[in-house]
Structures are given as C-alpha cells and as structure tokens.
Amino acid sequence: MKEGNVLFSEERIKRRVRELAVEITRDYAGKPLTVVAVLKGSVRFLHDLLDCLGEHLTVELIEASSYGDRTNSSGSVLIRSYGQLRVSGRDVLVVDDIADTGLTLQSVVSEIETRGARSVRTCVLLDKPSRRRVPLEPDYRGFTIGDVFVVGYGLDYAGRFRDLPYIALLRPTEKAR
Ligand code: XMP
C-alpha cells in the first residue's frame, strides 16, 4: 500500500476512537451496556473501543453479509450470531466498521429490536452518507468519507489489507493486483 493512499493514520484513528468512547461513556453514564459487534470488519475498531470504554459491558458477536457482489449490496442481509444473542431488555450499542448503503445496520438494528432490546444505538468508524439507500443515521461516527473504497484497520478487499493499522484508499488499479 502506497503512503499517498493513507486517508486516516493510526494516530488519528486512535485519537478519534478515544473521543467516541468518551461520548459513549458520558451518554450511558454507568448503565450496563451490551455491545454487539458486526464481524469481521469491526474487529480492530471493537478492540480499540473496548480498551477505552471501561466496565459495565457485555459483548456479543455477529456476522452479517449481504448477498451480491463486492460493491453492490443486493439489499438482502444474512445475520449469523455466535452463540445466543442476549439482548432482551438491554441497552445495545451496535458497532460496525462502516455505514455504506445502511442496509446491514438497518437489518441488525431491526433484528435486535425484534429480540426485545430496551434501546439500540449504532456506532461506526466510517460513514459514507452519499451511498445510503435507507434512512439510517449512525448515533456515533468516527469519520465521514465520500464515495470511495477504503481498506485497512479491519476493512478488507477480497481478504487483503485487513491488518493495516491505518485506513487507506483503494484505487481501482490496485484492486486488480
Ligand atoms: P452496507 O452499509 O452497504 O455495508 O450494508 C455493508 C458492508 O460493506 C462493506 N463495505 C466496505 N468494505 N471498504 C471495505 O473494505 C469499503 O469502502 C466498504 N464500504 C462498505 C463493510 O464490510 C460494510 O459493513
């Protein structure tokens, strides 16, 4: 990955994640919180967020995948939970890497509401509002970006780049490599 492709450095991401954690901690004011993380893209974000969020937390993991190709969601989202998804009666914060069309978060929120959560909010590291296909507004967002494809810090392209500690633009010519 070329240096010129870096959109958000590791330091900038860490700083922003700490700010988000401060906001979340203030809003929930010591209430027990259930974090539902959407794998796999959120794994690094979740790790850094948990480092700053402190106590009174339980964590549930789910995997969501949309049918369709890499850049166009078909609108149908498959949700798989790891073990029981214990959200009934709880205040839930859904953590995901990015809100793109919004379809994944919309499906996850609706599933959690159906399972009887007391409240559901969403937290994404990145937001691409120009791509939205459903009226979804994340409650907490790290950075807003345009209609670009990004990788790193948990986000992958065909399984690559997930390990990068920063977020970089993936240009069309680099997709072919
Ligand atoms: P939506 O909001 O469209 O997002 O349901 C579904 C998932 O698409 C992935 N996504 C990306 N992955 N770079 C990536 O590596 C991107 O720029 C990008 N945009 C969307 C992501 O996994 C998200 O959860």
Side-chain angles (χ1 to χ4, degrees), residues 18-137:
R18 277 196 296 273
E19 288 169 1
L20 287 175
V22 168
E23 249 186 88
I24 293 165
T25 306
R26 188 197 55 214
D27 291 354
Y28 286 92
K31 276 195 264 175
L33 179 63
T34 297
V35 170
V36 174
V38 185
L39 297 177
K40 297 175 185 165
S42 70
V43 70
R44 200 156 190 152
F45 182 35
L46 174 71
H47 172 272
D48 289 349
L49 203 54
L50 290 182
D51 262 356
C52 310
L53 275 181
E55 298 164 12
H56 309 298
L57 276 184
T58 50
V59 178
E60 302 282 338
L61 302 176
I62 62 171
E63 192 161 354
S65 41
S66 57
Y67 300 104
D69 64 31
R70 286 288 309 160
T71 49
N72 282 300
S73 176
S74 64
S76 180
V77 178
L78 178 70
I79 298 172
R80 190 153 70 99
S81 71
Y82 291 88
Q84 254 185 324
L85 184 55
R86 285 170 294 252
V87 292
S88 177
R90 302 194 182 182
D91 292 308
V92 174
L93 181 67
V94 180
V95 171
D96 203 356
D97 52 1
I98 189 165
D100 188 329
T101 62
L103 290 161
T104 301
L105 277 178
Q106 187 189 53
S107 298
V108 171
V109 167
S110 146
E111 176 71 25
I112 289 170
E113 282 172 347
T114 303
R115 288 170 182 249
R118 189 158 65 155
S119 71
V120 191
R121 287 186 185 162
T122 55
C123 174
V124 294
L125 181 69
L126 300 169
D127 190 14
K128 280 190 204 177
S130 62
R131 296 252 312 160
R132 206 72 95 242
R133 282 168 52 186
V134 290
L136 183 126
E137 179 82 11

